[in-house]
Amino acid sequence: MKILANDGISAVGKQQLEAAGFTVITEKVAQENLASEVNSQGIEMILVRSATTVRKDVIDACPGVKLIGRGGVGMDNIDVAYAREKGITVINTPASSSQSVAELVMGHMFAISRSLNDSYKHMETSDFSALKKKYAKGVELRGKTLGIVGFGRIGQSLASYALGSGMNVIAVDLYTNPVNVKVPIGTTQEAEVEIIPHASLHDVIGQMDYISLHVPKQADGSAVIGSKEFALMKKGVRLVNASRGGVINEDDLIVALNEGKVAGVALDVFENEPNPRKDLLNHELIACTPHIGAATLEAQDRIGEELASLIIGQFARS
Ligand code: NAD
């Protein structure tokens, strides 16, 4: 069986699939040529990350496709229900990247607390002493309260890092069952902290010094953070969004930043990917990364291995 890994696959995942007898093609096919290439090469499985989309038109045009695989969590680039109705197996690898996303968020929280992003941009061209004065109002994470909105896999992994850094954690989720978060101490010991998520963001948002979003794209497309929520936040709050574009209303965010309500923002995801608004990219209080939450070597290996094992488990025997 031929597999097209159109957004790439880790070497280890590819090797495992090839060892099980699959042919894995990794040459990228342009979106507009996807259906014709799949048909002309006799491809039966399409693997994607977030770049390639597999919508109804591709599904209809490729009757030979048996499986669509998403390396990662969010499947908003695949018409999942439609594919399943047509008898196509659709898989993803939800747990493989949680730790990598959590580490990116920690990096962003440290960065926006000390204006690292803006400082890097100006070191070559600006006066050293003027910059030293400009960036003299950094803050520490230890002792601050982090609000984690969406307490699933990534939210819980982030809690583990934040607790380990001495932060207080408030979780918000639709589900309010207690969660035991494991906090590694070095590589040989572990502490456990129970966190009970709150159901209402509005009730607790005013206590948060940092807010990190880990909800999926909302079914109705609505923002979880907009003008109402900004109004309830502490002055000087810092925000990170490494979930999905649109979860923060970008117009309301710019207003809150310019009014001085928000002291710093980090965005890994944007409403208009892959062409984010320039006023977000150029804002001195916003640090941006190009949707790289899962882009570590370790996560990519885990994603490739998980895809390979799911495919081999279901299709290698037939
Ligand atoms: P998950 O399903 O494990 O957790 C999401 C949680 O959000 C669930 O517990 C759910 O109950 C909760 N939730 C949903 N809507 C909510 C709301 N309005 N208010 C409060 N809680 C709400 O998902 P996950 O694996 O933790 O992933 C979270 C997000 O991260 C997804 O959007 C995913 O697409 C994104 N993600 C981004 C990257 C990246 O590269 N930046 C990588 C992987 C995943």
Side-chain angles (χ1 to χ4, degrees), residues 7 11 15 26-27 69 106 148 177 185 209 220 243 255 266 280:
D7 299 328
Q15 276 158 16
T26 52
E27 282 84 42
M106 287 304 295
I148 301 179
N177 295 335
I185 302 164
D209 302 301
D220 60 0
S243 60
V255 171
L280 294 176

Side-chain angles (χ1 to χ4, degrees), residues 9-16 49 93 96-97 100 294-309:
I9 184 167
S10 67
V12 61
K14 186 166 186 267
Q15 276 158 16
Q16 288 176 1
R49 288 184 191 159
T93 61
S96 304
S97 54
S100 293
T296 63
L297 299 178
E298 292 87 348
Q300 293 312 312
D301 278 352
R302 285 194 294 266
I303 286 170
E305 285 179 281
E306 195 175 341
L307 282 174
S309 108

Side-chain angles (χ1 to χ4, degrees), residues 50 70-76 93-98 100-101 104-105 148-157 172-175 198-199 201 213-219 222-224 241-245 247 268-269 273 289-295 303:
S50 56
R70 159 78 162 101
V73 189
M75 299 217 274
D76 31 324
T93 61
S96 304
S97 54
S98 306
S100 293
V101 180
L104 181 80
V105 172
I148 301 179
V149 184
F151 206 55
R153 289 171 291 256
I154 298 172
Q156 291 175 30
S157 182
V172 177
D173 203 290
L174 307 175
Y175 300 98
H198 295 259
L201 173 61
L213 292 155
H214 298 287
V215 296
K217 194 177 178 64
Q218 301 293 284
S222 63
V224 173
N241 185 14
S243 60
R244 277 289 179 268
V247 164
D268 188 49
V269 291
E273 290 184 30
T289 43
H291 203 148
I292 54 165
I303 286 170

